[in-house]
Amino acid sequence: MLSWNDITKYCQTIKEAIVKSGVKYDMIIGIQRGGIIPGVILSHMLDIPDYYSLGIRTTEFERCRKRLQSPIVKPNMLPDFTEKNVLVVDDVTNTGLTLRIAKQEILKRNPKLVTTISVVWDGMNSDKCPADIYSFYTPGWVCFPWE
């Protein structure tokens, strides 16, 4: 079980990586549900007020970890991202499917750059983290303080 202090520390690590990259981001997209909270935290840490959310579901229930046959995508209110640098934030990545779907949806809206972020890479199903930036590696399932 991760604590709120853990989340703050991991988001700080991500912030430092973003600042070090030298890229100035225009907006943040939080993946519903788990990416919403770290997305907002990073929005404040990086002083990026443009924040949106994207609904993507690839698991039936978090507790049973059962994957859906077809992911559910709800792009709802995403704006045009023409020539914008966009950060996509999720709480955890495993296979990278959610981040790939998110990136595909955002690329339909003409961004200049899309960078994917995951607070945690659980690494059970991949040798390389599918997120461009992540903060914490663990080989197993994680429980977040908001769950």
Side-chain angles (χ1 to χ4, degrees):
M1 171 87 173
L2 298 177
S3 69
W4 285 106
N5 285 338
D6 293 331
I7 299 304
T8 302
K9 179 177 73 174
Y10 299 150
C11 284
Q12 183 65 36
T13 300
I14 291 167
K15 174 198 171 197
E16 291 167 8
I18 291 167
V19 169
K20 186 178 178 182
S21 77
V23 176
K24 174 73 173 128
Y25 288 90
D26 302 297
M27 56 188 53
I28 293 180
I29 310 299
I31 303 297
Q32 296 172 16
R33 294 180 316 177
I36 297 291
I37 294 169
V40 169
I41 292 169
L42 286 166
S43 171
H44 286 282
M45 285 182 168
L46 293 164
D47 195 24
I48 302 173
D50 257 358
Y51 181 90
Y52 300 89
S53 67
L54 174 59
I56 301 175
R57 224 169 108 202
T58 56
T59 54
E60 191 171 324
F61 299 106
E62 284 86 359
R63 280 171 263 144
C64 74
R65 304 173 204 155
K66 183 179 177 188
R67 296 270 173 207
L68 292 170
Q69 290 274 347
S70 299
I72 299 168
V73 182
K74 299 177 184 177
N76 307 36
M77 310 280 285
L78 290 180
D80 179 38
F81 298 129
T82 300
E83 290 304 304
K84 303 285 185 184
N85 292 331
V86 181
L87 287 173
V88 179
V89 181
D90 207 356
D91 57 349
V92 63
T93 191
N94 182 289
T95 65
L97 178 60
T98 301
L99 291 174
R100 280 193 307 277
I101 292 169
K103 193 168 186 174
Q104 288 170 357
E105 283 299 320
I106 292 162
L107 287 172
K108 292 176 186 176
R109 291 161 175 82
N110 308 309
K112 183 176 181 182
L113 174 69
V114 179
T115 301
T116 57
I117 292 173
S118 182
V119 176
V120 175
W121 170 35
D122 81 8
M124 285 175 26
N125 295 313
S126 55
D127 294 334
K128 181 180 181 286
C129 182
D132 297 315
I133 300 171
Y134 74 96
S135 183
F136 177 70
Y137 169 81
T138 182
W141 192 262
V142 220
C143 214
F144 291 90
W146 51 84
E147 294 179 315

